[in-house]
Amino acid sequence: MNEISPPTGIDPSDLTFRFDSGRLCLNAVASMGGWRQDDIERWRRPEDLGRWCVEAGLLTKPPEVSEVELAEARDLREVTYRLVQAARSKRSLEQKDLDVLNGWAARPALIPELAANGQSLIWRAEVPLEAVLASVARDTVELMAGDLIGRIRECAAPECTVLFIDGSRPGKRRWCSMNRCGNRVKKQTFRQRQKETTGGPKPN
């Protein structure tokens, strides 16, 4: 399979999938980066969505994905983002978004199955991609109707829009990932302070 080059101006690392949110539905939302400004589409091709299903731990092999199914998955992702953001802001939910979400949640979802070793969990489905998207929708419904909606945060890094569950006791977690965004911002802040202290780089 030929690899498609990243769009101009986008670092290849920005196209890697993010699984830092603590919820399946928010991990799906994180497959789009830059919700506030420049879109970074990580489900660029049908194959990307299939690969995400495996990397998310939902399927053992990538399902076949058509262009139509990719568009449906992107639509569910956008609906999920709008509903979660509306709930966080205590705004009214759009009925058309609820219809899309509930329609997907009503479809057959992934079925948990215990492996022969008695320890591993296997997800089974007759129609794998449909079951994955139905599971994402059901997770969204459970999140919206549960007690964690007030614990959803947006990463504080300027270039990151990942939504995540803040499970810290004080509820003051700022970064989707300390190893990625937290360290990146701290390094940027350190360099800026150094520059201000030294008056900028000295000529050779």
Side-chain angles (χ1 to χ4, degrees):
M1 181 191 308
N2 294 330
E3 291 295 325
I4 295 180
S5 300
T8 303
I10 294 181
D11 190 306
S13 65
D14 287 332
L15 295 176
T16 58
F17 297 134
R18 309 292 166 83
F19 299 104
D20 305 306
S21 74
R23 292 293 297 225
L24 171 60
C25 61
L26 299 184
N27 284 342
V29 167
S31 66
M32 168 68 82
W35 283 98
R36 291 190 301 265
Q37 42 192 351
D38 298 329
D39 293 345
I40 300 176
E41 179 58 78
R42 299 183 177 109
W43 288 347
R44 293 182 295 157
R45 305 166 299 167
E47 294 85 355
D48 295 327
L49 175 55
R51 184 166 51 85
W52 182 87
C53 292
V54 174
E55 292 188 24
L58 303 175
L59 300 174
T60 56
K61 63 180 181 179
E64 292 290 331
V65 182
S66 69
E67 291 287 350
V68 171
E69 290 169 329
L70 176 61
E72 290 176 337
R74 288 172 174 171
D75 182 53
L76 174 61
R77 177 185 62 187
E78 187 169 342
V79 163
T80 301
Y81 177 77
R82 286 199 299 263
L83 287 172
V84 170
Q85 289 290 54
R88 290 181 64 220
S89 305
K90 295 182 170 53
R91 290 183 280 111
S92 298
L93 307 181
E94 293 288 340
Q95 186 60 48
K96 61 180 181 180
D97 287 343
L98 288 171
D99 290 342
V100 171
L101 178 69
N102 290 329
W104 274 106
R107 300 190 188 193
L110 293 167
I111 301 169
E113 188 174 275
L114 189 64
N117 62 15
Q119 298 176 333
S120 303
L121 175 66
I122 300 172
W123 295 102
R124 185 168 53 80
E126 291 187 11
V127 186
L129 181 60
E130 179 184 57
V132 165
L133 298 181
S135 297
V136 169
R138 291 187 185 193
D139 188 59
T140 306
V141 171
E142 293 172 4
L143 177 61
M144 298 274 295
D147 298 329
L148 292 177
I149 197 72
R151 282 277 184 168
I152 300 176
R153 307 283 184 262
E154 186 171 310
C155 184
E159 69 279 7
C160 184
T161 56
V162 169
L163 299 173
F164 62 89
I165 302 296
D166 180 3
S168 66
R169 180 168 294 182
K172 295 182 178 180
R173 179 179 157 192
R174 300 186 63 200
W175 320 109
C176 63
S177 168
M178 190 63 209
N179 290 334
R180 185 176 59 250
C181 288
N183 286 339
R184 182 187 300 175
V185 171
K186 287 189 174 184
K187 287 177 182 177
Q188 290 172 347
T189 302
F190 176 75
R191 285 195 295 266
Q192 182 61 32
R193 286 176 180 170
Q194 261 197 331
K195 185 176 179 180
E196 292 171 356
T197 301
T198 60
K202 294 180 173 57
N204 293 329

